[in-house]
């Protein structure tokens, strides 16, 4: 019985992956991306509309949109040089920085975030970034497992990075030799 359940899960995942397409952001996507932001985060962790607009239009950022059967299932934003406005960051100026990866709850655990992560790494490599970094909530075990399985290594703990609600961890993956 257990094998049948696992096979069903894998079939469902493979079906989603075969219907998954990632493409670069276009300005027409902004409303859908902000709806995902609202579904994924509560205030005060939620990006403002102004910050989202700024990041998606920044020439030093790449925004990837994940579509499943034409439905916007998630998105990710990577900065290709260190953003000066990040508080308490220890990243070097040449490292890429993942601002966010967001996937609607219905599409989670189906390979969407992993595909977005691959696209961000490709963008960082194309920009010749030696490493890619991100902060993640210490308590977010699912996200940490994703990053660790993709070769990211946890570094320093940043106390109250997410406010009084929690500490952050700085993760890094080396991209260039």
């Amino acid at each position: 019985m257990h094998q049948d359940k696992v096979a069903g899960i894998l079939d469902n995942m493979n079906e989603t992956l075969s219907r998954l397409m990632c493409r670069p952001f276009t300005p027409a996507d902004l409303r859908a991306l902000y709806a995902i932001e609202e579904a994924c985060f509560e205030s005060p962790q939620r990006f403002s509309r102004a910050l989202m607009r700024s990041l998606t239009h920044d020439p030093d950022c790449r925004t990837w949109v994940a579509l499943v059967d034409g439905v916007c299932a998630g998105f990710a934003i990577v900065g290709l040089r260190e953003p000066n406005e990040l508080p308490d960051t220890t990243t070097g100026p040449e490292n890429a920085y993942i601002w966010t990866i967001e996937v609607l709850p219905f599409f989670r655990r189906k390979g969407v975030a992993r595909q977005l992560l691959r696209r961000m790494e490709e963008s960082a490599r194309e920009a010749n970034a030696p490493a890619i970094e991100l902060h993640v909530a210490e308590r977010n075990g699912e996200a940490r497992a994703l990053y660790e399985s993709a070769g990211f290594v946890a570094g320093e703990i940043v106390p109250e990075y997410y406010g009084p609600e929690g500490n952050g961890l700085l993760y890094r993956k080396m991209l260039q030799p």
Side-chain angles (χ1 to χ4, degrees):
M1 185 64 161
H2 182 321
Q3 289 177 338
D4 291 340
K5 191 174 192 177
V6 169
I9 291 168
L10 291 175
D11 287 344
N12 186 27
M13 180 181 280
N14 288 334
E15 181 181 327
T16 299
L17 287 174
S18 69
R19 298 176 300 148
L20 173 63
M21 179 188 85
C22 289
R23 64 162 173 75
F25 166 85
T26 66
D29 296 322
L30 191 57
R31 181 170 287 163
L33 270 55
Y34 200 75
I36 293 171
E37 177 74 24
E38 290 179 316
C40 292
F41 290 99
E42 297 290 326
S43 186
Q45 277 73 41
R46 183 182 297 152
F47 285 2
S48 68
R49 289 178 192 274
L51 177 59
M52 178 84 67
R53 186 177 300 106
S54 174
L55 290 172
T56 57
H57 289 81
D58 185 332
D60 291 321
C61 288
R62 298 295 176 270
T63 302
W64 289 93
V65 177
L67 302 169
V68 176
D69 291 337
V71 174
C72 190
F75 72 97
I77 302 172
V78 61
L80 301 177
R81 61 182 179 83
E82 180 188 351
N84 293 328
E85 59 271 27
L86 269 180
D88 301 321
T89 185
T90 58
T91 60
E94 69 282 347
N95 292 338
Y97 184 81
I98 297 172
W99 281 90
T100 194
I101 299 177
E102 301 180 28
V103 177
L104 286 171
F106 179 79
F107 293 104
R108 290 181 185 159
R109 304 195 59 77
K110 297 179 181 178
V112 176
R114 187 169 301 281
Q115 189 64 17
L116 287 166
L117 187 57
R118 282 189 196 116
R119 295 290 189 243
M120 288 188 294
E121 287 183 30
E122 289 170 9
S123 295
R125 281 188 179 93
E126 288 171 6
N128 295 315
I132 189 168
E133 300 176 325
L134 63 103
H135 286 90
V136 66
E138 189 175 36
R139 67 182 181 279
N140 190 342
E142 286 187 6
R144 291 176 58 195
L146 168 69
Y147 300 130
E148 290 170 9
S149 72
F152 284 76
V153 177
E156 73 177 271
I157 295 173
V158 184
E160 296 187 3
Y161 184 81
Y162 293 96
E165 295 180 25
N167 297 334
L169 288 170
L170 177 65
Y171 273 79
R172 177 179 292 128
K173 179 177 182 177
M174 300 308 296
L175 299 175
Q176 308 296 332

